[in-house]
């Protein structure tokens, strides 16, 4: 499906494909690798799409990135993971895997125009098309689980008990290579028509950003365990 | 596809169906109508999934709710809207429309456990399965556009220039009935295993919530236009 070549993988940009070139607002699309990575690394939740019985399913889930590969995990009993695993284990060379679309979106602002028509949102998003395959190599599984924990808080995997054999057996992880990828970014104010500029309606942008609050320790946390530095930094 | 009856539409809960009952963590699933509405009304961006050439596509987009109906809009040239429109206008009674899955997710917290395995996220999400159909009735189109603007800022549609005929012609809106719907909510702290409670790793929840910043007026805004009250309220 992907037209990405080996050469392109080491370049500064992903190679556009028919389905990563938008039909509209093309000026907002980007294939810049550093931008894509930055958007992915800033997120916590992705929306994973797959097809089940011919119909689309979109589920929110945690993810992690290691280089040019994304990982999504869940119970071995969860639907998309079972589907990817079943297909990967199916007959035929190459382990077909599960076609997915993984999307990460950050909302940056509410765009208020004088005209209802030009109301919009400022955002940064990444859309990844590809085939998810179940991770079976034990070393890759551990690397993926570390990445998933570090996506929640960078560096956290080094300050928690690693998964044991029982937990590894209960966890299914799928991987998705970053090959067919695009970012989309809208910034700036509203684009009102010239004849609307004198209308008496306020126009501009209300910035929106996620804010982390004061950490709440578990009720059963030993009071001797101090809040780690990576949670107190601004 | 939906098994929702007319009676259920006026009830306090959506009727679960095979695809709205999760395969795992069933205790987190809810069909409560008020909860679903509250989660939808608090959001700005939904993730709309559809199938194109047999593969899933997930795109972030603005939406609006009017009662038991969601609206998504875009240019008449955008891909899913063209697909819904083309199918709606296609041969055969009943206007088949475009099968979609629309998901809205709010991240509420980062859940840090002593064990890597039990790291998680607190969130509230709504997943809607159904068939999107293009809105063709002019009155419904205006109602939908108002709802889309009011999703950005409640009440804003009354303080902006309504869409004119040219804009209405350039805007395609699809509707999705709230029939096959579920919410999923995770709250609370980590669920560490008993044998891990004495480990020296901090455990608890880091709350996360979107924060709106100070509104930034457009550079071309008449200084005589004051910031409206609905943007200054806390």
């Amino acid at each position: 499906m992907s037209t990405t070549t080996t050469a392109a993988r080491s370049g500064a940009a992903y190679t556009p494909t028919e389905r990563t070139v938008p039909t509209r607002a093309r000026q907002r699309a980007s294939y810049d690798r550093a931008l894509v990575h930055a958007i992915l690394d800033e997120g916590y939740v992705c929306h994973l799409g797959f097809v089940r019985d011919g119909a689309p399913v979109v589920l929110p889930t945690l993810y992690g990135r290691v280089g040019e590969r994304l990982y999504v995990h869940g119970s071995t009993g969860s639907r998309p993971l079972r589907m990817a695993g079943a297909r990967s284990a199916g007959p035929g060379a190459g382990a077909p895997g599960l076609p997915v679309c993984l999307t990460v979106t950050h909302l940056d602002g509410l765009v208020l125009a004088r005209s209802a028509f030009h109301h919009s949102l400022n955002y940064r998003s990444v859309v990844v098309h590809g085939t998810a395959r179940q991770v079976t190599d034990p070393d890759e599984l551990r690397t993926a689980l570390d990445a998933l924990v570090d996506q929640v808080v960078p560096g956290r995997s080094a300050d928690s008990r690693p998964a044991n054999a029982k937990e590894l057996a209960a966890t299914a992880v799928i991987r998705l290579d970053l090959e067919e990828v695009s970012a989309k970014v809208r910034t700036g104010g509203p684009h009102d028509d010239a004849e609307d500029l004198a209308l008496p309606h306020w126009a501009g942008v209300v910035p929106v950003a996620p804010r982390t609050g004061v950490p709440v320790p578990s009720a059963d946390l030993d009071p001797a365990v101090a809040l780690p530095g990576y949670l107190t930094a601004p």
Side-chain angles (χ1 to χ4, degrees), chain A:
Chain A
M1 291 259 223
S2 170
T3 63
T4 305
T5 64
T6 304
R9 284 191 196 172
S10 58
Y14 298 101
T15 304
T17 69
E18 191 272 338
R19 59 182 178 181
T20 64
V21 175
T23 49
R24 53 185 286 270
R26 290 194 183 191
Q27 76 285 0
R28 291 182 191 159
S30 168
Y31 307 92
D32 182 79
R33 205 173 287 264
L35 175 65
V36 165
H37 289 180
I39 291 172
L40 290 173
D41 293 354
E42 194 179 319
Y44 299 104
V45 174
C46 71
H47 282 81
L48 182 73
F50 57 100
V51 180
R52 180 170 175 253
D53 297 335
V57 180
V58 179
L59 298 179
T61 188
L62 180 63
Y63 66 98
R65 181 177 75 87
V66 178
E68 292 299 325
R69 194 165 269 183
L70 294 182
Y71 293 101
V72 172
H73 90 321
S75 155
T76 48
S78 79
R79 222 163 249 168
L81 294 163
R82 276 186 305 162
M83 291 169 75
R87 296 207 192 186
S88 297
L98 178 71
V100 298
C101 181
L102 186 154
T103 301
V104 172
T105 305
H106 305 299
L107 176 67
D108 293 329
L110 315 176
V111 181
L112 278 63
R114 286 91 167 172
S115 61
F117 182 76
H118 283 297
H119 278 68
S120 189
L121 300 174
N122 281 339
Y123 65 94
R124 290 162 294 141
S125 66
V126 163
V127 176
V128 184
H129 297 273
T131 301
R133 293 188 169 83
Q134 192 169 349
V135 175
T136 52
D137 177 78
D139 287 340
E140 186 179 6
L141 195 55
R142 288 182 190 279
T143 299
L145 290 174
D146 281 353
L148 285 154
V149 170
D150 288 336
Q151 188 80 22
V152 178
V153 177
R156 174 69 183 180
S157 68
D159 184 24
S160 58
R161 175 179 66 69
N164 57 35
K166 183 183 161 193
E167 291 168 344
L168 286 172
T171 305
V173 172
I174 52 179
R175 70 160 172 265
L176 175 63
D177 288 338
L178 292 174
E179 291 186 345
E180 197 168 355
V181 184
S182 61
K184 212 167 170 185
V185 176
R186 190 204 188 280
T187 59
H191 303 305
D192 269 309
D193 299 333
E195 59 266 35
D196 289 336
L197 294 182
L199 290 177
H201 309 300
W202 189 88
V205 174
V206 179
V208 180
R211 173 177 53 176
T212 55
V214 178
V216 180
S218 286
D220 55 13
L221 184 68
D222 182 342
V225 178
L227 192 67
Y230 51 76
L231 292 183
T232 56

